[in-house]
Amino acid sequence: MINVVVNVEHWPYDKPMPRALMTAPHGKPAESPDVPNFSWVEYGLRRGMPRLLNLLNDHGIHASATMNSNVCDVYPEVAERIGEAGWDIVGHGVMQQSLKAVDDEVATIRESLSRLSAFYGRPIEGWLGPGIAQTADTADHLKAEGLAFTQDWMVDDQPCWMTTKHGPLLALPYSLELNDVPIWAINAYGSDELYHRVKWTLPILLREAENTTQVLTIALHPHLVGVPHRFTFFEKLIQELASHPDITFAGSNRIAEWFIAERPAG
């Protein structure tokens, strides 16, 4: 079972960029406006997202959007197209800012979930922290706010149950190894690296799936995978995966609902 997860984020123009492709010149620290790095992520929303939406729609794949709630207001056309495509929506903060850096963690979680739920007209079931960051209390807060799962804890190739102060919370597989940020933004591998890593991963998971379902998550950001020199290989990957007889695609909500029905907590 493959979960294509696309991180859809708002990086405010007048704040420090969450990540940088280009460092500031002359040895000075970056200051706002950080035009090169803002433009980097803006390109992903303008050009990368349409490419991803069109490709996945063409293959009938309902992906998962881990979304900053500000996207609904700053990039409403993107949010609307994701809704029209039927993607699963996963809470991802208000803007791209770690929960460790906000003034009020609970208020931030509530604001994010409330705005996304209002925009899409349905409850939000899960969470991925911006920067995959949690405090010691985040899991407790997520469960207290009624969420069914988090994707911050990448401890298995299957969902597994976590214990919180307010009851069990499902840990849904995410990925750092099949994630375009570590591959390209941090380690600067070649444009075909994600393609090869997924292909090298499949034989093991398909063998293990003969006994029990395995989840392969591909974690993406449109400003990274959506540029043409990488998207060429991503198109090839999706075409090959979609034609494989033993592979199905599912969004985060569907995977969580399947696992909860099959293996309820306790």
Side-chain angles (χ1 to χ4, degrees):
M1 190 179 294
I2 292 181
N3 187 7
V4 178
V5 179
V6 181
N7 291 260
V8 188
E9 298 168 347
H10 172 223
W11 296 18
Y13 174 75
D14 59 349
K15 295 185 182 297
M17 294 293 107
R19 194 178 304 278
L21 176 67
M22 182 174 176
T23 58
H26 311 301
K28 294 184 177 181
E31 297 178 359
S32 300
D34 185 349
V35 174
N37 292 307
F38 176 82
S39 300
W40 180 39
V41 75
E42 183 79 2
Y43 178 92
L45 292 165
R46 290 172 178 264
R47 301 294 291 151
M49 276 305 303
R51 289 179 181 131
L52 284 164
L53 283 158
N54 291 339
L55 174 65
L56 297 175
N57 286 349
D58 287 347
H59 290 280
I61 297 170
H62 289 182
S64 307
T66 57
M67 186 183 296
N68 295 161
S69 61
N70 273 1
V71 170
C72 300
D73 302 303
V74 182
Y75 303 100
E77 297 90 347
V78 173
E80 288 166 3
R81 281 207 61 188
I82 288 171
E84 291 166 0
W87 290 15
D88 289 355
I89 308 300
V90 178
H92 193 47
V94 175
M95 61 183 180
Q96 194 58 15
Q97 181 184 32
S98 166
L99 287 180
K100 295 180 179 180
V102 301
D103 294 330
D104 188 328
E105 181 179 5
V106 173
T108 299
I109 293 170
R110 287 177 178 171
E111 180 181 353
S112 174
L113 298 178
S114 175
R115 183 68 186 103
L116 291 171
S117 179
F119 189 90
Y120 289 105
R122 59 183 187 267
I124 304 303
E125 300 180 27
W127 183 267
L128 175 74
I132 321 177
Q134 289 199 350
T135 71
D137 300 314
T138 301
D140 295 324
H141 295 325
L142 297 178
K143 182 62 180 181
E145 295 305 315
L147 292 176
F149 65 87
T150 176
Q151 294 190 253
D152 290 340
W153 290 83
M154 299 157 283
V155 295
D156 207 318
D157 295 317
Q158 293 184 315
C160 58
W161 288 105
M162 300 174 62
T163 300
T164 78
K165 294 177 181 178
H166 305 287
L169 180 69
L170 194 63
L172 213 64
Y174 189 62
S175 178
L176 288 179
E177 297 285 352
L178 305 180
N179 185 316
D180 58 8
V181 166
I183 290 174
W184 291 316
I186 297 174
N187 292 308
Y189 283 99
S191 300
D192 58 351
E193 179 71 15
L194 179 65
Y195 171 85
H196 291 301
R197 286 196 189 191
V198 174
K199 295 301 293 289
W200 293 329
T201 299
L202 281 173
I204 301 298
L205 292 190
L206 286 170
R207 184 179 68 205
E208 293 172 349
E210 294 176 3
N211 299 315
T212 181
T213 300
Q214 305 293 312
V215 178
L216 188 157
T217 301
I218 304 173
L220 305 172
H221 299 72
H223 59 287
L224 290 168
V225 73
V227 297
H229 65 92
R230 297 182 185 124
F231 200 75
T232 294
F233 294 99
F234 186 67
E235 277 189 326
K236 181 180 180 183
L237 176 64
I238 290 297
Q239 290 164 0
E240 293 178 14
L241 295 176
S243 64
H244 197 293
D246 298 321
I247 289 174
T248 59
F249 289 85
S252 298
N253 291 353
R254 180 183 168 193
I255 294 170
E257 291 161 3
W258 155 73
F259 191 83
I260 291 168
E262 289 285 326
R263 304 182 194 177

